[in-house]
Amino acid sequence: MNNHLSRRKFLQMASGTAVLFLAGCRPKAEPTPINMPAATAVPSPPATLPPLSRDLILTPNDEFYVMETNGTPSVDRAEWRLTIDGLVENPLRLSFDDIEARPFVEQMRTLECIGNAVGGNQIGNAVWGGVLLADLLAEVRVMETAVRAKFEAADNYETSVSLDWINQPGTMLAYQMNGEPLPPKHGYPLRLFMPGLYGQKMPKWITRIEFIDHNLHLGTWEKQGWSNVAKVKTNSQIMMPTHIQKVPLAPLEIFGVAYAGDRHIAQVEVGIENQDGDLRWQLVEELVRGPSDEVWTQFYLPWTPPAAGTYTLLVRATDETGFVQTERARGVLEGAFPDGTDKIHNIVIVVV
């Protein structure tokens, strides 16, 4: 596995200052208008930009995006229980000690909010520790009449998925995050993970998994029009340089990430558009991958600006199914309602 580097440290190494959008992931039906800062408000660049690290980035716990529906509940570990019931032969009611006594696993996973805008910060990468759900499902023995799993959480959040999602081998219940106890705002004492889905379908503070015989259940966000499948769309974003950044007329590296849930990123291309509207796409040859396709792919493209001026940088990813991002976003942070977004991220930089 690659060495790990925090997102904050990476951006500090790259630009001297880490500028992050740390707002909670609060989905909205329409994108909020964005007033972009004028180029003159950006400090002058250094003579050259420092090289970027090739380490795989882990998002620190205190920088990881936060989704709040009804605030962070106060959960007493000693009183907390996880119930697995409904259409099962052997219902379980487990304490935290019961969970912790089972075989421990660690898995690196990228997690993205369905409301993450194009180029947004509602995505992070961490190593999650806990137990595989398959072991518990083997104990309860789900009945053949069950078609869906419904989830309840301590903050009164609800959602549900079809059984093909919860029955995946990598589905886990996590109580650690980056080697530390799961922080309260990230789901203490236990949260659910399933490969390929947005965070909407993987509740924090989970208290119940109920197996049901119909597909009619709509959860907290689904009742407001958000997808009832919430499968991650193939997306990518440029992280360095940043929008409206001034850069020197010298060689630099374009850096970013691509992510497709549980699908392999087959290739990444970066587009460079000059002031005359001439757009040329370049295949990125250097990709840094995680231990599985459930982790974002980092990309690096060396580029030497041919002259001073304003340029638009774009990125598009192709996944293993052959899907290619094609539609260009209208704004740097265009919204994602109701299914998430696969629009092309594009930024403007000023070469001086």
Side-chain angles (χ1 to χ4, degrees):
M1 184 181 298
N2 295 290
N3 292 329
H4 304 150
L5 183 70
S6 78
R7 190 172 189 174
R8 176 191 294 143
K9 185 176 180 181
F10 182 97
L11 293 176
Q12 287 174 338
M13 290 171 61
S15 64
T17 304
V19 181
L20 300 173
F21 296 93
L22 295 177
C25 176
R26 298 176 177 86
K28 297 179 180 179
E30 297 293 338
T32 301
I34 300 165
N35 296 317
M36 294 301 177
T40 55
V42 180
S44 298
T48 59
L49 297 178
L52 301 178
S53 169
R54 266 49 181 176
D55 292 339
L56 197 62
I57 295 176
L58 289 180
T59 310
N61 294 359
D62 61 351
E63 290 181 22
F64 213 100
Y65 81 85
V66 175
M67 169 62 190
E68 293 182 344
T69 304
N70 298 307
T72 301
S74 177
V75 180
D76 185 339
R77 168 175 160 165
E79 298 296 327
W80 172 90
R81 296 292 184 271
L82 172 66
T83 300
I84 305 178
D85 63 359
L87 297 175
V88 300
E89 296 179 11
N90 181 34
L92 289 178
R93 183 171 169 81
L94 304 168
S95 68
F96 187 84
D97 289 342
D98 293 330
I99 296 289
E100 204 172 32
R102 283 165 164 75
F104 177 79
V105 297
E106 277 192 329
Q107 297 182 355
M108 185 183 294
R109 294 277 180 84
T110 295
L111 182 66
E112 184 174 18
C113 180
I114 193 171
N116 192 29
V118 176
N121 190 45
Q122 312 305 334
I123 184 172
N125 189 49
V127 174
W128 308 91
V131 300
L132 292 176
L133 185 59
D135 296 339
L136 298 179
L137 297 187
E139 292 183 38
V140 299
R141 297 192 297 277
V142 179
M143 296 179 183
E144 293 184 359
T145 52
V147 298
R148 198 167 186 86
K150 172 186 171 185
F151 310 122
E152 298 176 7
D155 64 340
N156 296 318
Y157 184 81
E158 287 190 10
T159 192
S160 62
V161 297
S162 59
L163 294 192
D164 53 338
W165 292 109
I166 196 172
N167 285 333
Q168 295 179 92
T171 300
M172 70 180 297
L173 295 166
Y175 54 82
Q176 284 189 9
M177 182 178 184
N178 288 329
E180 300 177 359
L182 197 62
K185 65 182 179 180
H186 291 297
Y188 175 88
L190 200 68
R191 71 177 300 169
L192 177 67
F193 280 95
M194 291 174 287
L197 296 177
Y198 286 114
Q200 170 190 334
K201 289 295 183 179
M202 297 183 280
K204 300 180 285 186
W205 314 293
I206 188 168
T207 57
R208 187 184 183 191
I209 302 174
E210 179 189 7
F211 289 90
I212 58 179
D213 62 359
H214 59 85
N215 285 308
L216 302 178
H217 177 266
L218 294 178
T220 303
W221 286 117
E222 293 84 359
K223 289 177 180 177
Q224 299 185 39
W226 288 88
S227 171
N228 199 24
V229 177
K231 180 179 179 180
V232 173
K233 290 190 173 183
T234 299
N235 64 92
S236 54
Q237 63 175 282
I238 296 169
M239 297 175 67
M240 293 297 300
T242 56
H243 186 58
I244 309 297
Q245 183 176 351
K246 285 186 177 181
V247 301
L249 182 57
L252 60 84
E253 279 191 318
I254 300 169
F255 162 76
V257 298
Y259 177 58
D262 57 355
R263 299 180 303 284
H264 183 73
I265 295 294
Q267 70 177 33
V268 177
E269 298 167 278
V270 169
I272 299 174
E273 184 177 64
N274 62 23
Q275 298 173 86
D276 297 326
D278 180 23
L279 171 60
R280 298 185 179 183
W281 289 96
Q282 300 182 37
L283 180 66
V284 177
E285 296 184 357
E286 186 173 2
L287 301 177
V288 174
R289 301 183 184 276
S292 78
D293 290 332
E294 295 158 37
V295 176
W296 63 28
T297 295
Q298 298 173 192
F299 65 84
Y300 303 80
L301 179 72
W303 176 59
T304 300
T310 301
Y311 295 85
T312 300
L313 306 182
L314 308 88
V315 61
R316 66 186 182 192
T318 302
D319 68 28
E320 63 183 12
T321 70
F323 171 84
V324 184
Q325 293 178 262
T326 57
E327 186 177 353
R328 187 166 171 171
R330 296 170 297 174
V332 178
L333 294 176
E334 186 170 314
F337 183 83
D339 302 308
T341 183
D342 54 25
K343 292 184 179 179
I344 292 175
H345 184 219
N346 53 98
I347 65 169
V348 174
I349 62 169
V350 182
V351 178
V352 297

